[in-house]
């Protein structure tokens, strides 16, 4: 797919309210849309085409799709949602608000539409340390998740670019993959002696000199240059980016947030429902640590809850008609 999502012709939304609008067309959003479309709900997906993992050429740890392109997974999801009569539009949502019909959504194309329920699957972005060359290697020589990329780093020279004391745990996660693990601590500040001793006891080296740039040969990462000009040779670097929620649709609706180790994040229940009745947050929008399989599951979980609510409303309306007819 050459790093781009395809853009086939899409149906234009009509004036009738949708049952559900899904904001975001990544793994979580498409999973929710697929379940709801197959449940015969009128579903619209509005996708800005910026999945968090778009920088990675391959996914790992995804059952039956290990090594698969994340953009190809999205393309497959598009096809499946459309095959079930779901509608997908390429548009960025710029405004959400509560209205009598449920919720109104406004896109950057100037389109306004309403829905009975909203699923927000806008995800998050990763804010990288400001080190020259780091962004250019993001998703290839520089990665973040040991569960996603640790196995591919087995037996190699691994660098851990820790940005906090909490981030040192990543080095412990990576130790089973290699005997050659070095933690670069300058961004994290002072490391407690107890933490240093445990790392060293596990055979993990600590490097306290500041990292000034990434060193590459062509497109391949070969090391990190330190403040004194020394180059630490490495095959892969595990960084500690700061996840930033792309939660503007939730904030516009006044959804509650909870303090997490990653900062303030949307408050959700076990189904992904937010504090705003009728609104769900799935994938990284509701869980900054959600890997692809977790994101897919969260979308499906939310879809089941949403369809259950709509069915309950339909049953209640039918019951009211029966009572009214009996009274007449």
């Amino acid at each position: 797919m050459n790093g781009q999502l395809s853009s086939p012709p899409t149906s234009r939304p009509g004036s009738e309210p949708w049952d559900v609008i899904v904001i975001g067309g990544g793994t979580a959003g498409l999973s929710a849309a697929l379940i709801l479309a197959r449940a015969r709900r009128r579903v619209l997906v509005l996708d800005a085409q910026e999945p968090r993992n778009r920088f990675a050429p391959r996914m790992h740890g995804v059952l039956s799709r290990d090594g698969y392109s994340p953009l190809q997974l999205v393309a497959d999801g598009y096809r499946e949602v459309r095959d079930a009569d779901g509608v997908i539009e390429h548009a960025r949502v710029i405004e959400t608000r509560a209205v009598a019909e449920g919720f109104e959504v406004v896109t950057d194309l100037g389109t306004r539409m309403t829905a009975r329920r909203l699923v927000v699957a806008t995800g998050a972005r990763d804010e990288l340390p400001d080190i020259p060359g780091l962004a250019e290697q993001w998703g290839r020589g520089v990665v973040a998740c040991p569960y996603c990329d640790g196995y591919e780093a087995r037996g190699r020279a691994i660098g851990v670019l820790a940005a906090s004391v909490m981030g040192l745990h990543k080095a412990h996660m990576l130790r089973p993959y290699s005997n050659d693990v070095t933690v670069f601590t300058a961004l994290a500040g002072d490391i407690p002696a107890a933490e240093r001793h445990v790392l060293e006891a596990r055979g993990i080296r600590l490097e306290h000199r500041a990292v000034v740039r990434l060193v590459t040969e062509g497109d391949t990462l070969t090391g990190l240059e330190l403040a004194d000009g020394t180059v630490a040779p490495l095959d892969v670097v595990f960084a500690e980016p700061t996840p930033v929620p792309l939660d503007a649709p939730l904030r516009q609706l006044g959804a509650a947030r909870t303090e997490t180790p990653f900062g303030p994040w949307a408050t959700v229940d076990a189904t992904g429902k937010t504090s705003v009745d009728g609104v769900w947050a799935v994938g990284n929008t509701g869980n900054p640590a959600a890997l692809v399989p977790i994101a897919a599951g969260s979308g499906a979980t939310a879809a089941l809850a949403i369809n259950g609510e709509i069915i309950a409303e339909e049953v209640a309306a039918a019951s009211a008609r029966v009572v009214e007819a009996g009274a007449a």
Side-chain angles (χ1 to χ4, degrees), residues 12 25 37 44 102 124 127 129 139 172 194-195 198 200 212 215 267 299 303 312 328:
R12 302 307 305 171
L44 170 65
E127 196 169 86
H172 291 296
E195 296 279 357
V198 172
E200 291 166 353
V212 297
V215 180
T267 304

Side-chain angles (χ1 to χ4, degrees), residues 74-88:
V74 169
D76 291 347
Y78 268 39
R79 172 180 50 77
E80 292 170 353
V81 170
R82 285 174 168 147
D83 284 350
D85 298 326
V87 177
I88 301 174

